[in-house]
PDB file of all heavy atoms in Angstrom:
ATOM      1  N   ALA A  63       4.118-119.104 -24.958  1.00  0.00           N
ATOM      2  CA  ALA A  63       5.128-119.994 -24.397  1.00  0.00           C
ATOM      3  C   ALA A  63       5.854-120.636 -25.569  1.00  0.00           C
ATOM      4  O   ALA A  63       5.228-121.073 -26.540  1.00  0.00           O
ATOM      5  CB  ALA A  63       4.490-121.064 -23.521  1.00  0.00           C
ATOM      6  N   ALA A  65       9.047-123.381 -26.728  1.00  0.00           N
ATOM      7  CA  ALA A  65       9.957-124.451 -26.341  1.00  0.00           C
ATOM      8  C   ALA A  65      11.179-124.403 -27.253  1.00  0.00           C
ATOM      9  O   ALA A  65      11.049-124.416 -28.479  1.00  0.00           O
ATOM     10  CB  ALA A  65       9.267-125.800 -26.448  1.00  0.00           C
ATOM     11  N   PRO A  87       9.550-118.884 -21.725  1.00  0.00           N
ATOM     12  CA  PRO A  87      10.106-120.227 -21.973  1.00  0.00           C
ATOM     13  C   PRO A  87       9.241-121.280 -21.263  1.00  0.00           C
ATOM     14  O   PRO A  87       8.953-121.150 -20.072  1.00  0.00           O
ATOM     15  CB  PRO A  87      11.510-120.154 -21.365  1.00  0.00           C
ATOM     16  CG  PRO A  87      11.839-118.688 -21.341  1.00  0.00           C
ATOM     17  CD  PRO A  87      10.524-118.003 -21.060  1.00  0.00           C
ATOM     18  N   GLU A  88       8.813-122.297 -22.023  1.00  0.00           N
ATOM     19  CA  GLU A  88       7.823-123.242 -21.480  1.00  0.00           C
ATOM     20  C   GLU A  88       8.402-124.122 -20.376  1.00  0.00           C
ATOM     21  O   GLU A  88       7.709-124.413 -19.396  1.00  0.00           O
ATOM     22  CB  GLU A  88       7.274-124.116 -22.618  1.00  0.00           C
ATOM     23  CG  GLU A  88       6.127-125.007 -22.188  1.00  0.00           C
ATOM     24  CD  GLU A  88       5.456-125.726 -23.355  1.00  0.00           C
ATOM     25  OE1 GLU A  88       5.826-125.479 -24.515  1.00  0.00           O
ATOM     26  OE2 GLU A  88       4.549-126.540 -23.091  1.00  0.00           O
ATOM     27  N   ASN A  89       9.640-124.561 -20.516  1.00  0.00           N
ATOM     28  CA  ASN A  89      10.271-125.413 -19.507  1.00  0.00           C
ATOM     29  C   ASN A  89      11.714-125.019 -19.181  1.00  0.00           C
ATOM     30  O   ASN A  89      12.264-125.480 -18.192  1.00  0.00           O
ATOM     31  CB  ASN A  89      10.291-126.876 -19.998  1.00  0.00           C
ATOM     32  CG  ASN A  89       8.900-127.491 -20.034  1.00  0.00           C
ATOM     33  OD1 ASN A  89       8.258-127.669 -18.997  1.00  0.00           O
ATOM     34  ND2 ASN A  89       8.401-127.785 -21.233  1.00  0.00           N
ATOM     35  N   LYS A  92      13.004-123.617 -15.704  1.00  0.00           N
ATOM     36  CA  LYS A  92      12.603-124.309 -14.473  1.00  0.00           C
ATOM     37  C   LYS A  92      13.830-124.897 -13.774  1.00  0.00           C
ATOM     38  O   LYS A  92      14.891-125.046 -14.366  1.00  0.00           O
ATOM     39  CB  LYS A  92      11.569-125.380 -14.825  1.00  0.00           C
ATOM     40  CG  LYS A  92      10.249-124.771 -15.319  1.00  0.00           C
ATOM     41  CD  LYS A  92       9.291-125.803 -15.884  1.00  0.00           C
ATOM     42  CE  LYS A  92       8.000-125.142 -16.365  1.00  0.00           C
ATOM     43  NZ  LYS A  92       7.087-126.117 -17.032  1.00  0.00           N
ATOM     44  N   ASP A  94      14.766-127.848 -12.753  1.00  0.00           N
ATOM     45  CA  ASP A  94      15.453-129.048 -13.262  1.00  0.00           C
ATOM     46  C   ASP A  94      16.303-128.734 -14.489  1.00  0.00           C
ATOM     47  O   ASP A  94      17.295-129.410 -14.759  1.00  0.00           O
ATOM     48  CB  ASP A  94      14.458-130.193 -13.553  1.00  0.00           C
ATOM     49  CG  ASP A  94      13.409-129.830 -14.598  1.00  0.00           C
ATOM     50  OD1 ASP A  94      13.333-128.657 -15.027  1.00  0.00           O
ATOM     51  OD2 ASP A  94      12.641-130.737 -14.992  1.00  0.00           O
ATOM     52  N   HIS A 125       9.966-117.950 -16.088  1.00  0.00           N
ATOM     53  CA  HIS A 125       9.082-118.977 -15.514  1.00  0.00           C
ATOM     54  C   HIS A 125       9.888-120.236 -15.240  1.00  0.00           C
ATOM     55  O   HIS A 125      10.373-120.819 -16.181  1.00  0.00           O
ATOM     56  CB  HIS A 125       7.956-119.267 -16.511  1.00  0.00           C
ATOM     57  CG  HIS A 125       7.046-120.367 -16.093  1.00  0.00           C
ATOM     58  ND1 HIS A 125       6.016-120.171 -15.204  1.00  0.00           N
ATOM     59  CD2 HIS A 125       6.979-121.672 -16.443  1.00  0.00           C
ATOM     60  CE1 HIS A 125       5.346-121.308 -15.047  1.00  0.00           C
ATOM     61  NE2 HIS A 125       5.917-122.226 -15.774  1.00  0.00           N
ATOM     62  N   THR A 126      10.001-120.673 -14.065  1.00  0.00           N
ATOM     63  CA  THR A 126       9.598-120.111 -12.792  1.00  0.00           C
ATOM     64  C   THR A 126      10.658-120.442 -11.752  1.00  0.00           C
ATOM     65  O   THR A 126      11.366-121.432 -11.912  1.00  0.00           O
ATOM     66  CB  THR A 126       8.210-120.659 -12.378  1.00  0.00           C
ATOM     67  OG1 THR A 126       7.842-120.185 -11.088  1.00  0.00           O
ATOM     68  CG2 THR A 126       8.184-122.182 -12.343  1.00  0.00           C
ATOM     69  N   TRP A 129       8.906-123.787  -7.440  1.00  0.00           N
ATOM     70  CA  TRP A 129       7.757-124.635  -7.774  1.00  0.00           C
ATOM     71  C   TRP A 129       8.000-125.996  -7.139  1.00  0.00           C
ATOM     72  O   TRP A 129       9.138-126.369  -6.865  1.00  0.00           O
ATOM     73  CB  TRP A 129       7.659-124.743  -9.309  1.00  0.00           C
ATOM     74  CG  TRP A 129       6.387-125.305  -9.869  1.00  0.00           C
ATOM     75  CD1 TRP A 129       5.167-125.375  -9.262  1.00  0.00           C
ATOM     76  CD2 TRP A 129       6.214-125.877 -11.175  1.00  0.00           C
ATOM     77  NE1 TRP A 129       4.243-125.934 -10.117  1.00  0.00           N
ATOM     78  CE2 TRP A 129       4.866-126.260 -11.296  1.00  0.00           C
ATOM     79  CE3 TRP A 129       7.070-126.117 -12.266  1.00  0.00           C
ATOM     80  CZ2 TRP A 129       4.337-126.857 -12.444  1.00  0.00           C
ATOM     81  CZ3 TRP A 129       6.548-126.701 -13.409  1.00  0.00           C
ATOM     82  CH2 TRP A 129       5.193-127.069 -13.500  1.00  0.00           C
ATOM     83  N   ASN A 131       7.150-128.700  -8.730  1.00  0.00           N
ATOM     84  CA  ASN A 131       7.254-129.604  -9.875  1.00  0.00           C
ATOM     85  C   ASN A 131       8.538-129.328 -10.641  1.00  0.00           C
ATOM     86  O   ASN A 131       9.090-128.243 -10.553  1.00  0.00           O
ATOM     87  CB  ASN A 131       6.054-129.344 -10.792  1.00  0.00           C
ATOM     88  CG  ASN A 131       5.504-130.615 -11.357  1.00  0.00           C
ATOM     89  OD1 ASN A 131       6.172-131.648 -11.388  1.00  0.00           O
ATOM     90  ND2 ASN A 131       4.271-130.543 -11.824  1.00  0.00           N
ATOM     91  N   GLN A 132       8.961-130.289 -11.448  1.00  0.00           N
ATOM     92  CA  GLN A 132      10.199-130.129 -12.225  1.00  0.00           C
ATOM     93  C   GLN A 132      11.324-129.618 -11.324  1.00  0.00           C
ATOM     94  O   GLN A 132      12.081-128.712 -11.682  1.00  0.00           O
ATOM     95  CB  GLN A 132       9.956-129.247 -13.461  1.00  0.00           C
ATOM     96  CG  GLN A 132       9.151-130.010 -14.529  1.00  0.00           C
ATOM     97  CD  GLN A 132       8.711-129.144 -15.685  1.00  0.00           C
ATOM     98  OE1 GLN A 132       7.788-128.351 -15.562  1.00  0.00           O
ATOM     99  NE2 GLN A 132       9.364-129.307 -16.838  1.00  0.00           N
ATOM    100  N   ASN A 171       5.293-120.453  -8.011  1.00  0.00           N
ATOM    101  CA  ASN A 171       4.293-121.020  -8.898  1.00  0.00           C
ATOM    102  C   ASN A 171       3.468-122.078  -8.157  1.00  0.00           C
ATOM    103  O   ASN A 171       4.045-122.962  -7.501  1.00  0.00           O
ATOM    104  CB  ASN A 171       5.021-121.683 -10.085  1.00  0.00           C
ATOM    105  CG  ASN A 171       4.118-122.019 -11.247  1.00  0.00           C
ATOM    106  OD1 ASN A 171       3.257-121.219 -11.620  1.00  0.00           O
ATOM    107  ND2 ASN A 171       4.290-123.208 -11.814  1.00  0.00           N
ATOM    108  N   GLU A 172       2.160-121.953  -8.209  1.00  0.00           N
ATOM    109  CA  GLU A 172       1.251-123.022  -7.772  1.00  0.00           C
ATOM    110  C   GLU A 172       1.461-123.468  -6.330  1.00  0.00           C
ATOM    111  O   GLU A 172       1.484-124.654  -6.030  1.00  0.00           O
ATOM    112  CB  GLU A 172       1.363-124.220  -8.729  1.00  0.00           C
ATOM    113  CG  GLU A 172       1.054-123.827 -10.167  1.00  0.00           C
ATOM    114  CD  GLU A 172       1.252-124.967 -11.175  1.00  0.00           C
ATOM    115  OE1 GLU A 172       1.545-126.102 -10.760  1.00  0.00           O
ATOM    116  OE2 GLU A 172       1.085-124.710 -12.386  1.00  0.00           O
ATOM    117  N   ASN A 216       2.061-116.858  -9.436  1.00  0.00           N
ATOM    118  CA  ASN A 216       1.380-117.446 -10.590  1.00  0.00           C
ATOM    119  C   ASN A 216       0.665-118.733 -10.186  1.00  0.00           C
ATOM    120  O   ASN A 216       1.229-119.567  -9.485  1.00  0.00           O
ATOM    121  CB  ASN A 216       2.464-117.771 -11.642  1.00  0.00           C
ATOM    122  CG  ASN A 216       1.921-118.163 -12.997  1.00  0.00           C
ATOM    123  OD1 ASN A 216       1.076-117.460 -13.557  1.00  0.00           O
ATOM    124  ND2 ASN A 216       2.390-119.278 -13.544  1.00  0.00           N
ATOM    125  N   ASP A 217      -0.588-118.890 -10.620  1.00  0.00           N
ATOM    126  CA  ASP A 217      -1.304-120.133 -10.257  1.00  0.00           C
ATOM    127  C   ASP A 217      -2.449-120.406 -11.234  1.00  0.00           C
ATOM    128  O   ASP A 217      -2.855-119.534 -12.007  1.00  0.00           O
ATOM    129  CB  ASP A 217      -1.845-120.032  -8.820  1.00  0.00           C
ATOM    130  CG  ASP A 217      -1.818-121.380  -8.077  1.00  0.00           C
ATOM    131  OD1 ASP A 217      -1.948-122.438  -8.731  1.00  0.00           O
ATOM    132  OD2 ASP A 217      -1.663-121.358  -6.837  1.00  0.00           O
ATOM    133  N   TYR A 218      -2.955-121.650 -11.181  1.00  0.00           N
ATOM    134  CA  TYR A 218      -4.120-122.048 -11.973  1.00  0.00           C
ATOM    135  C   TYR A 218      -5.331-122.174 -11.039  1.00  0.00           C
ATOM    136  O   TYR A 218      -5.182-122.197  -9.813  1.00  0.00           O
ATOM    137  CB  TYR A 218      -3.868-123.371 -12.715  1.00  0.00           C
ATOM    138  CG  TYR A 218      -3.663-124.559 -11.796  1.00  0.00           C
ATOM    139  CD1 TYR A 218      -4.743-125.338 -11.392  1.00  0.00           C
ATOM    140  CD2 TYR A 218      -2.396-124.880 -11.316  1.00  0.00           C
ATOM    141  CE1 TYR A 218      -4.565-126.413 -10.537  1.00  0.00           C
ATOM    142  CE2 TYR A 218      -2.205-125.951 -10.457  1.00  0.00           C
ATOM    143  CZ  TYR A 218      -3.299-126.713 -10.068  1.00  0.00           C
ATOM    144  OH  TYR A 218      -3.131-127.773  -9.205  1.00  0.00           O
ATOM    145  N   GLN A 251      -3.031-118.276 -14.628  1.00  0.00           N
ATOM    146  CA  GLN A 251      -2.632-119.181 -15.711  1.00  0.00           C
ATOM    147  C   GLN A 251      -3.769-119.332 -16.722  1.00  0.00           C
ATOM    148  O   GLN A 251      -3.563-119.338 -17.911  1.00  0.00           O
ATOM    149  CB  GLN A 251      -2.225-120.544 -15.149  1.00  0.00           C
ATOM    150  CG  GLN A 251      -0.954-120.489 -14.315  1.00  0.00           C
ATOM    151  CD  GLN A 251      -0.492-121.870 -13.854  1.00  0.00           C
ATOM    152  OE1 GLN A 251      -1.037-122.898 -14.263  1.00  0.00           O
ATOM    153  NE2 GLN A 251       0.512-121.899 -12.997  1.00  0.00           N
ATOM    154  N   HIS A 253      -5.821-121.975 -17.570  1.00  0.00           N
ATOM    155  CA  HIS A 253      -5.996-123.174 -18.389  1.00  0.00           C
ATOM    156  C   HIS A 253      -7.489-123.522 -18.323  1.00  0.00           C
ATOM    157  O   HIS A 253      -7.973-124.036 -17.307  1.00  0.00           O
ATOM    158  CB  HIS A 253      -5.146-124.327 -17.841  1.00  0.00           C
ATOM    159  CG  HIS A 253      -3.665-124.064 -17.953  1.00  0.00           C
ATOM    160  ND1 HIS A 253      -3.022-123.974 -19.170  1.00  0.00           N
ATOM    161  CD2 HIS A 253      -2.716-123.850 -17.014  1.00  0.00           C
ATOM    162  CE1 HIS A 253      -1.737-123.730 -18.972  1.00  0.00           C
ATOM    163  NE2 HIS A 253      -1.523-123.647 -17.669  1.00  0.00           N
ATOM    164  N   GLU A 281      -0.801-118.225 -18.917  1.00  0.00           N
ATOM    165  CA  GLU A 281      -0.665-119.537 -19.580  1.00  0.00           C
ATOM    166  C   GLU A 281      -1.967-119.902 -20.271  1.00  0.00           C
ATOM    167  O   GLU A 281      -2.417-121.058 -20.242  1.00  0.00           O
ATOM    168  CB  GLU A 281      -0.303-120.624 -18.554  1.00  0.00           C
ATOM    169  CG  GLU A 281       0.973-120.338 -17.779  1.00  0.00           C
ATOM    170  CD  GLU A 281       1.377-121.461 -16.831  1.00  0.00           C
ATOM    171  OE1 GLU A 281       0.831-122.577 -16.923  1.00  0.00           O
ATOM    172  OE2 GLU A 281       2.253-121.214 -15.978  1.00  0.00           O
ATOM    173  N   ASP A 283      -4.878-121.148 -22.304  1.00  0.00           N
ATOM    174  CA  ASP A 283      -5.317-122.060 -23.360  1.00  0.00           C
ATOM    175  C   ASP A 283      -6.726-122.506 -23.012  1.00  0.00           C
ATOM    176  O   ASP A 283      -7.083-122.615 -21.841  1.00  0.00           O
ATOM    177  CB  ASP A 283      -4.344-123.229 -23.611  1.00  0.00           C
ATOM    178  CG  ASP A 283      -3.960-124.039 -22.393  1.00  0.00           C
ATOM    179  OD1 ASP A 283      -4.614-123.910 -21.330  1.00  0.00           O
ATOM    180  OD2 ASP A 283      -3.013-124.832 -22.484  1.00  0.00           O
ATOM    181  N   TRP A 314      -0.374-120.450 -23.914  1.00  0.00           N
ATOM    182  CA  TRP A 314       0.591-121.472 -23.531  1.00  0.00           C
ATOM    183  C   TRP A 314       0.958-122.355 -24.730  1.00  0.00           C
ATOM    184  O   TRP A 314       0.736-123.563 -24.740  1.00  0.00           O
ATOM    185  CB  TRP A 314       0.069-122.286 -22.338  1.00  0.00           C
ATOM    186  CG  TRP A 314       1.204-122.906 -21.551  1.00  0.00           C
ATOM    187  CD1 TRP A 314       1.409-124.240 -21.322  1.00  0.00           C
ATOM    188  CD2 TRP A 314       2.275-122.221 -20.874  1.00  0.00           C
ATOM    189  NE1 TRP A 314       2.556-124.418 -20.570  1.00  0.00           N
ATOM    190  CE2 TRP A 314       3.100-123.196 -20.284  1.00  0.00           C
ATOM    191  CE3 TRP A 314       2.619-120.868 -20.729  1.00  0.00           C
ATOM    192  CZ2 TRP A 314       4.251-122.872 -19.547  1.00  0.00           C
ATOM    193  CZ3 TRP A 314       3.775-120.547 -20.003  1.00  0.00           C
ATOM    194  CH2 TRP A 314       4.565-121.538 -19.427  1.00  0.00           C
ATOM    195  N   TYR A 320       1.764-128.855 -30.694  1.00  0.00           N
ATOM    196  CA  TYR A 320       2.764-128.945 -29.621  1.00  0.00           C
ATOM    197  C   TYR A 320       2.166-128.661 -28.242  1.00  0.00           C
ATOM    198  O   TYR A 320       2.909-128.566 -27.265  1.00  0.00           O
ATOM    199  CB  TYR A 320       3.912-127.958 -29.855  1.00  0.00           C
ATOM    200  CG  TYR A 320       4.715-128.163 -31.125  1.00  0.00           C
ATOM    201  CD1 TYR A 320       5.226-127.067 -31.825  1.00  0.00           C
ATOM    202  CD2 TYR A 320       4.999-129.445 -31.602  1.00  0.00           C
ATOM    203  CE1 TYR A 320       5.984-127.235 -32.969  1.00  0.00           C
ATOM    204  CE2 TYR A 320       5.751-129.624 -32.757  1.00  0.00           C
ATOM    205  CZ  TYR A 320       6.240-128.516 -33.445  1.00  0.00           C
ATOM    206  OH  TYR A 320       6.998-128.684 -34.575  1.00  0.00           O
ATOM    207  N   SER A 321       0.850-128.500 -28.146  1.00  0.00           N
ATOM    208  CA  SER A 321       0.259-128.159 -26.844  1.00  0.00           C
ATOM    209  C   SER A 321       0.445-129.281 -25.833  1.00  0.00           C
ATOM    210  O   SER A 321       0.363-130.460 -26.182  1.00  0.00           O
ATOM    211  CB  SER A 321      -1.232-127.869 -27.016  1.00  0.00           C
ATOM    212  OG  SER A 321      -1.861-127.826 -25.740  1.00  0.00           O
ATOM    213  N   TRP A 322       0.660-128.910 -24.565  1.00  0.00           N
ATOM    214  CA  TRP A 322       0.733-129.916 -23.493  1.00  0.00           C
ATOM    215  C   TRP A 322      -0.620-130.613 -23.330  1.00  0.00           C
ATOM    216  O   TRP A 322      -0.676-131.701 -22.791  1.00  0.00           O
ATOM    217  CB  TRP A 322       1.170-129.260 -22.177  1.00  0.00           C
ATOM    218  CG  TRP A 322       0.108-128.391 -21.528  1.00  0.00           C
ATOM    219  CD1 TRP A 322      -0.349-127.196 -22.001  1.00  0.00           C
ATOM    220  CD2 TRP A 322      -0.611-128.660 -20.324  1.00  0.00           C
ATOM    221  NE1 TRP A 322      -1.321-126.695 -21.157  1.00  0.00           N
ATOM    222  CE2 TRP A 322      -1.503-127.569 -20.113  1.00  0.00           C
ATOM    223  CE3 TRP A 322      -0.596-129.703 -19.383  1.00  0.00           C
ATOM    224  CZ2 TRP A 322      -2.368-127.510 -19.019  1.00  0.00           C
ATOM    225  CZ3 TRP A 322      -1.451-129.632 -18.293  1.00  0.00           C
ATOM    226  CH2 TRP A 322      -2.330-128.557 -18.126  1.00  0.00           C
ATOM    227  N   ARG A 323      -1.712-129.990 -23.797  1.00  0.00           N
ATOM    228  CA  ARG A 323      -3.038-130.599 -23.696  1.00  0.00           C
ATOM    229  C   ARG A 323      -3.389-131.246 -25.028  1.00  0.00           C
ATOM    230  O   ARG A 323      -4.312-130.813 -25.711  1.00  0.00           O
ATOM    231  CB  ARG A 323      -4.076-129.525 -23.353  1.00  0.00           C
ATOM    232  CG  ARG A 323      -3.833-128.869 -22.023  1.00  0.00           C
ATOM    233  CD  ARG A 323      -4.724-127.648 -21.825  1.00  0.00           C
ATOM    234  NE  ARG A 323      -6.146-127.957 -21.796  1.00  0.00           N
ATOM    235  CZ  ARG A 323      -7.105-127.053 -21.607  1.00  0.00           C
ATOM    236  NH1 ARG A 323      -6.782-125.777 -21.440  1.00  0.00           N
ATOM    237  NH2 ARG A 323      -8.370-127.399 -21.602  1.00  0.00           N
TER     238      ARG A 323
HETATM  239  O1  LIG B 401       1.198-128.240 -16.921  1.00  0.00           O
HETATM  240  C1  LIG B 401       0.908-127.091 -17.655  1.00  0.00           C
HETATM  241  C2  LIG B 401       1.554-125.872 -17.040  1.00  0.00           C
HETATM  242  C3  LIG B 401       0.940-125.579 -15.682  1.00  0.00           C
HETATM  243  N1  LIG B 401       1.521-124.383 -15.090  1.00  0.00           N
HETATM  244  C4  LIG B 401       2.968-124.350 -15.012  1.00  0.00           C
HETATM  245  C5  LIG B 401       3.604-124.687 -16.352  1.00  0.00           C
HETATM  246  O2  LIG B 401       5.001-124.722 -16.238  1.00  0.00           O
HETATM  247  C6  LIG B 401       3.082-125.982 -16.907  1.00  0.00           C
HETATM  248  O3  LIG B 401       3.744-126.217 -18.147  1.00  0.00           O
HETATM  249  C7  LIG B 401       3.953-127.553 -18.495  1.00  0.00           C
HETATM  250  C8  LIG B 401       4.652-127.589 -19.836  1.00  0.00           C
HETATM  251  O4  LIG B 401       3.795-127.044 -20.802  1.00  0.00           O
HETATM  252  C9  LIG B 401       4.949-129.055 -20.222  1.00  0.00           C
HETATM  253  O5  LIG B 401       5.771-129.086 -21.385  1.00  0.00           O
HETATM  254  O6  LIG B 401       4.733-128.197 -17.514  1.00  0.00           O
HETATM  255  C10 LIG B 401       4.877-129.573 -17.782  1.00  0.00           C
HETATM  256  C11 LIG B 401       5.597-130.275 -16.644  1.00  0.00           C
HETATM  257  O7  LIG B 401       5.088-129.933 -15.415  1.00  0.00           O
HETATM  258  C12 LIG B 401       5.676-129.770 -19.081  1.00  0.00           C
HETATM  259  O8  LIG B 401       5.738-131.137 -19.400  1.00  0.00           O
HETATM  260  C13 LIG B 401       7.023-131.685 -19.402  1.00  0.00           C
HETATM  261  C14 LIG B 401       6.878-133.185 -19.467  1.00  0.00           C
HETATM  262  O9  LIG B 401       6.162-133.611 -18.324  1.00  0.00           O
HETATM  263  C15 LIG B 401       8.228-133.827 -19.464  1.00  0.00           C
HETATM  264  O10 LIG B 401       8.096-135.200 -19.624  1.00  0.00           O
HETATM  265  C16 LIG B 401       9.112-133.218 -20.558  1.00  0.00           C
HETATM  266  O11 LIG B 401      10.406-133.717 -20.470  1.00  0.00           O
HETATM  267  O12 LIG B 401       7.795-131.217 -20.495  1.00  0.00           O
HETATM  268  C17 LIG B 401       9.116-131.706 -20.438  1.00  0.00           C
HETATM  269  C18 LIG B 401       9.939-131.025 -21.538  1.00  0.00           C
HETATM  270  O13 LIG B 401       9.376-131.283 -22.795  1.00  0.00           O
END
Side-chain angles (χ1 to χ4, degrees):
E88 187 172 356
N89 290 295
K92 293 171 180 175
D94 60 353
H125 176 81
T126 176
W129 193 21
N131 220 340
Q132 287 172 285
N171 194 43
E172 302 176 5
N216 190 51
D217 215 330
Y218 64 91
Q251 293 185 7
H253 294 294
E281 303 184 13
D283 53 14
W314 205 240
Y320 299 145
S321 167
W322 72 291
R323 298 170 63 179

